[in-house]
Amino acid sequence: MRMEKIATREAYGKALVKLGEKNQDVVVLDADLSKSTKTEEFAKAFPERFINVGIAEQNMMGTAAGLAASGKIPFVSSFAMFATGRAFEQIRNTVAYPELNVKIAASHAGISVGEDGASHQSVEDISIIRSIPNMTVIVPSDAVETEAAVMAAAEIKGPVYIRMGRMAVPTVNGEDYRFQWGKGVVFREGTDVLLVGTGLMVDVCLRAAEGLQQEGISAGVLNIHTIKPIDGETIIRMAKATGAVVTAEEHSIIGGLGSAVAEVLCESYPVPMKRVGINDAFGESGKPMELLSKFGLDPQSVMAAAKDVIRRKKQL
Amino acid sequence: MDIQELNLLEEKARQIRKNIIAMLKEAGSGHPGGSLSAADILTVLYFKEMNINPESPRAPERDRFVLSKGHAAPVLYAALAERGFFPREDLLSLRKTGAKLQGHPDMNRVPGVEISTGSLGQGLSAANGMALAGKLDKASYRVYAMIGDGECQEGQIWEAAMFAAHYKLDNLVAFLDHNGLQIDGRITHVMSPEPLDEKWRAFGWHVQIIDGHSFPEIINALAQAREVKGKPSMIIANTVKGKGVSFMEDVAGWHGKAPKPEEAEQALAELDQRGVR
């Protein structure tokens, strides 16, 4: 099923154009990053509905709120760092509190931003945005899922955060893929360990599962694209089937997918668990793939974590 | 100017001020100073200027008002109730558990509140979005906003200022409630945003300076703003914080403090006995 590599931001740019053709109420805001976030595709197709706010993310969120309050469906783009970091309080107070129909589609999340380094590598955004009431949080795993999520986001009322990356990533979902809000996607069932991934780590989990299989370990793989509201039902079902869980995300282990899964399991079905992610650190400059290895976001690290939780399960 | 109309506005402003005092006394907390300084401007907006219908608070063609200085919620609530958006009795529920009248305006709880505000610096951006939506839809509605002078210390205000001028939002009129005080004292002592008129002009706005307690000046400024094409309008309204209540006037301490029952009584008596002007 794995085909060409496409960055989720590329898929976003194309999806926006489709959406713009379909829905006249869709408007797009960007803060001087349209070439990077790929909103320039929409800007070319619908210049009158593209609003560049300049380098002013706080005003961008507030403007989007006003547009939404007047019936528009604004898609707001910047890098994840600036969208959720610089404009946190604008999102919290002027978008989420009034439950306005603003879609925050942020690119350049995580360390796979690469050479730009720590100042531009958001490893906290899921944590920040997940804590805000009324927010839905989506982290697509590939181009297929990104397009589906973007189209779906326009259909639901209320604020949505979509987290995307800069780097081209393998396509893990088939053409028949159907996006379901808040519903995890089961790639493999397993009996020894469950690997829960999000974003580009879904592909890493799939490769880890293949590696584990060669060693005689049966790993389930679950893609949690909707971090909030989280699909507790599927997580618990698969945790019961395996008795050991590893989460994998290109994000801090504090507050992201790992924390969300831990919250579900601790309250309902505690099993040995390990979070693979950025270990409470800032990123740095480098080639994306080298950084992913350096920070332990590769199949080897997920496999090691899987063996660790299986060992702990056996000690119970 | 029509003397009958002026008398009507005078009476409405008096009632709005009295409601502010009554609400705050009942709530035991809240912001009288900046509510009273804005009362005359809101009176003109809600009883003369704006095309609004309390029966249909979400009508697409309605004019919009954004209270960016959301802590002055009492003046907004008092104006909305007086204009018939909800019963006057509800005013006394201000800040109580479960009430629709939250400490700062909540658009989903109160008919007529266009956007939730309270965190300073954010409302003008939302007003920009509404004005831009109006332009995109070729709608005829106008958007009004009110910001504080202390609020101009927020960086986002200037992001919004740039935006409104860049997108030529001539359907947007903002009032700057220039009462000169903020929580910690005089704005010029805490962190001077002056000269405000030059700043707004430099940011590309059409700027007028008026007496924010003179109905004819407020009305004339709004009429002039309608004639401005290709630019947003800023009306810097020189006002007195706590206007209308002798012991509150120009005293920073009354920014965020409710009157005690005997103080409220005196304030209400003053408002009954004498004109504000």
Side-chain angles (χ1 to χ4, degrees), chain A residues 102-305:
Chain A
V102 175
K103 317 301 171 186
I104 301 159
S107 73
H108 291 60
I111 55 169
S112 59
V113 164
E115 291 80 351
D116 274 356
S119 63
H120 285 53
Q121 294 166 339
S122 172
V123 295
E124 310 89 350
D125 53 308
I126 299 175
S127 177
I128 292 168
I129 213 85
R130 183 170 84 89
S131 68
I132 304 175
N134 293 338
M135 285 297 299
T136 295
V137 181
I138 306 287
V139 186
S141 57
D142 69 0
V144 173
E145 197 161 76
T146 302
E147 179 178 335
V150 168
M151 303 307 271
E155 299 297 321
I156 67 156
K157 278 263 180 209
V160 176
Y161 178 67
I162 304 176
R163 182 189 209 237
M164 296 170 297
R166 169 176 182 260
M167 186 181 83
V169 293
T171 302
V172 293
N173 294 288
E175 278 174 17
D176 56 344
Y177 176 79
R178 220 177 104 246
F179 181 83
Q180 283 179 283
W181 283 108
K183 200 88 192 91
V185 182
V186 181
F187 277 86
R188 304 165 67 120
E189 296 285 354
T191 53
D192 296 323
V193 65
L194 168 63
L195 311 179
V196 185
T198 198
L200 60 76
M201 293 303 285
V202 172
D203 174 62
V204 172
C205 286
L206 286 169
R207 286 190 280 141
E210 283 165 19
L212 289 166
Q213 192 175 27
Q214 282 168 19
E215 298 183 27
I217 297 169
S218 163
V221 175
L222 174 63
N223 166 19
I224 292 291
H225 53 62
T226 308
I227 308 243
K228 184 186 175 187
I230 197 158
D231 182 3
E233 200 183 309
T234 306
I235 291 167
I236 291 165
R237 179 183 72 71
M238 294 183 80
K240 283 181 177 168
T242 54
V245 174
V246 172
T247 59
E249 63 198 302
E250 192 199 2
H251 183 274
S252 171
I253 56 167
I254 299 173
L257 171 75
S259 295
V261 171
E263 287 156 18
V264 169
L265 292 177
C266 281
E267 288 188 353
S268 302
Y269 192 78
V271 294
M273 182 186 160
K274 197 165 173 73
R275 294 164 296 158
V276 172
I278 314 280
N279 289 307
D280 196 18
F282 291 108
E284 61 181 70
S285 291
K287 290 203 189 313
M289 289 309 291
E290 290 173 11
L291 290 177
L292 289 172
S293 293
K294 179 168 182 179
F295 282 84
L297 303 180
D298 52 13
Q300 292 73 28
S301 303
V302 174
M303 286 170 69

Side-chain angles (χ1 to χ4, degrees), chain B residues 15-273:
Chain B
Q15 195 54 51
I16 285 171
R17 283 194 166 88
K18 285 173 68 180
N19 285 344
I20 291 168
I21 297 299
M23 293 163 78
L24 290 171
K25 181 199 125 194
E26 178 71 20
S29 68
H31 299 84
S35 295
L36 293 167
S37 65
D40 297 311
I41 294 163
L42 266 76
T43 300
V44 173
L45 286 175
Y46 280 91
F47 290 92
K48 178 169 171 66
E49 175 72 8
M50 289 203 295
N51 171 32
I52 44 174
N53 178 5
E55 303 299 317
S56 181
R58 293 273 185 239
E61 281 300 307
R62 73 193 184 280
D63 289 341
R64 280 107 165 129
F65 174 68
V66 173
L67 184 67
S68 195
K69 44 171 278 186
H71 56 277
V75 69
L76 176 58
Y77 297 155
L80 287 170
E82 205 54 36
R83 188 69 172 79
F85 280 84
F86 55 85
R88 284 196 191 94
E89 302 83 75
D90 291 0
L91 290 174
L92 295 181
S93 72
L94 174 70
R95 290 177 166 250
K96 291 187 178 164
T97 307
K100 67 179 165 202
L101 302 189
Q102 294 288 296
H104 295 82
D106 179 341
M107 65 181 287
N108 293 321
R109 292 192 195 224
V110 188
V113 170
E114 296 287 353
I115 191 99
S116 302
T117 53
S119 174
L120 291 176
Q122 301 192 21
L124 189 59
S125 298
N128 279 345
M130 294 173 191
L132 186 64
K135 290 274 180 194
L136 287 171
D137 291 340
K138 298 187 171 48
S140 61
Y141 67 77
R142 290 173 72 72
V143 180
Y144 300 89
M146 175 178 278
I147 63 174
D149 47 9
E151 190 178 6
C152 290
Q153 294 160 354
E154 288 280 8
Q156 189 183 347
I157 286 290
W158 302 103
E159 294 183 2
M162 251 185 285
F163 181 98
H166 182 86
Y167 283 97
K168 301 183 169 56
L169 301 179
D170 52 17
N171 53 348
L172 172 67
V173 181
F175 283 92
L176 199 164
D177 183 9
H178 195 4
N179 59 37
L181 295 176
Q182 60 189 116
I183 296 179
D184 279 351
R186 298 233 158 256
I187 60 165
T188 47
H189 290 167
V190 176
M191 177 51 64
S192 179
E194 304 288 354
L196 282 162
D197 55 337
E198 288 178 29
K199 284 196 173 75
W200 285 96
R201 221 168 269 127
F203 273 77
W205 289 54
H206 178 264
V207 177
Q208 303 178 67
I209 303 175
I210 63 163
D211 172 353
H213 300 302
S214 158
F215 290 130
E217 288 194 29
I218 299 167
I219 292 166
N220 284 337
L222 284 164
Q224 200 192 111
R226 279 182 188 274
E227 303 306 315
V228 176
K229 298 295 170 222
K231 278 182 176 194
S233 268
M234 174 56 68
I235 302 173
I236 298 176
N238 291 318
T239 58
V240 176
K241 202 155 181 170
K243 179 74 174 175
V245 177
S246 61
F247 57 90
M248 289 184 179
E249 287 191 358
D250 202 32
V251 178
W254 284 101
H255 171 87
K257 184 176 72 170
K260 295 190 187 79
E262 60 276 16
E263 290 168 331
E265 216 164 289
Q266 186 192 333
L268 291 171
E270 281 185 19
L271 287 166
D272 265 334
Q273 282 158 17

